[in-house]
Amino acid sequence: RPALTPRKLLGFHCADGQGNNSLTDGFAVAYALKERKPHLFDLLSRHGMAAGRRLEYYASGPLMFDTNHRVLNTDADGNLMRVQYHESYRTPLTVPYEDFEGYFEALATFYEMVHSPEFQTHLSVSAGQLLIMNNWRTMHGRAGLKGKARTILGGTVTREAFYSAVRTMEQEELGVPPEVECGVPTAAYPYVAARPEARLRVGFNDQQRAASA
């Protein structure tokens, strides 16, 4: 079932026919907007956009939810973390009255940039091909070919599952034992793998904690 926080990876497998896709780098659009019209970037990173969905294709019954998320999600330092925008799910805006006109201009400007030739490209996938993308950054649209049928299978992967898989691959490639890796930043794996004394230190600390428990 879909999560209110978008999954990190989005994939489409073309099982039959051919699929047409439009792709836009949401980060490129956001940073261009910040450079050209910083006040509009500020509005999209400060106020949430109301949205909602009703999904009726689950065997357990319909799934309904509403959200109010920022189009441009930034960290405490203003660095862009995630772009979250879907025009067809947008519901009436709930931004403060004094910011409404500016916010609507920001949405319209962002929409125009996303669909402009400057930022948007197009890609076709044929039967047997898979398109996979960073769902927090890549903005995706799809359309069929007129008069032709197609079968597209879609799927998503959470950030946690993807990050865990990356850590597992790094452990195997560098030879980091499982009893050492817990809590170690992935970027520090080469250090731990190259220094046996670091492994012993971690193992000794584990033994101390077990003895004091």
Side-chain angles (χ1 to χ4, degrees):
R1 292 197 165 195
L4 297 184
T5 299
R7 307 298 173 91
K8 179 66 172 177
L9 298 180
L10 173 65
F12 293 103
H13 173 244
C14 183
D16 185 55
Q18 182 175 319
N20 288 340
N21 306 271
S22 61
L23 302 172
T24 298
D25 184 347
F27 277 30
V29 173
Y31 282 124
L33 181 66
K34 186 176 184 178
E35 180 179 347
R36 301 170 190 178
K37 298 183 178 182
H39 63 292
L40 299 185
F41 178 95
D42 176 69
L43 286 169
L44 293 182
S45 62
R46 187 157 45 91
H47 293 302
M49 184 186 79
R53 294 189 71 181
R54 179 185 176 92
L55 307 175
E56 298 186 349
Y57 43 71
Y58 293 110
S60 58
L63 176 66
M64 299 161 284
F65 62 86
D66 63 280
T67 67
N68 195 296
H69 56 264
R70 292 175 294 156
V71 174
L72 306 179
N73 290 264
T74 56
D75 62 16
D77 297 321
N79 299 309
L80 197 60
M81 302 293 292
R82 185 175 74 246
V83 174
Q84 190 171 347
Y85 177 81
H86 203 308
E87 179 65 25
S88 63
Y89 300 150
R90 183 162 63 86
T91 56
L93 298 177
T94 57
V95 298
Y97 179 81
E98 60 272 16
D99 289 334
F100 181 88
E101 186 173 348
Y103 187 83
F104 198 82
E105 179 189 355
L107 277 182
T109 303
F110 185 78
Y111 179 88
E112 290 176 2
M113 293 175 68
V114 165
H115 292 276
S116 70
E118 180 182 1
F119 296 103
Q120 189 177 75
T121 187
H122 298 272
L123 177 70
S124 295
V125 292
S126 301
Q129 292 184 320
L130 171 68
L131 174 63
I132 190 165
M133 68 203 79
N134 181 345
N135 196 37
W136 287 11
R137 176 169 182 162
T138 307
M139 305 185 71
H140 171 261
R142 56 187 179 274
L145 296 173
K146 187 176 181 180
K148 296 184 179 180
R150 60 174 182 163
T151 302
I152 304 292
L153 306 177
T156 57
V157 179
T158 64
R159 178 196 177 278
E160 291 73 21
F162 173 66
Y163 187 66
S164 177
V166 171
R167 284 179 67 92
T168 300
M169 291 173 58
E170 286 286 297
Q171 291 172 37
E172 294 175 351
E173 290 180 4
L174 296 173
V176 177
E179 64 271 14
V180 174
E181 75 84 22
C182 187
V184 176
T186 306
Y189 278 179
Y191 172 84
V192 174
R195 293 167 174 78
E197 66 275 13
R199 303 186 191 183
L200 292 174
R201 189 179 304 116
V202 174
F204 179 71
N205 290 338
D206 287 343
Q207 292 175 5
Q208 284 185 315
R209 284 193 291 269
S212 61

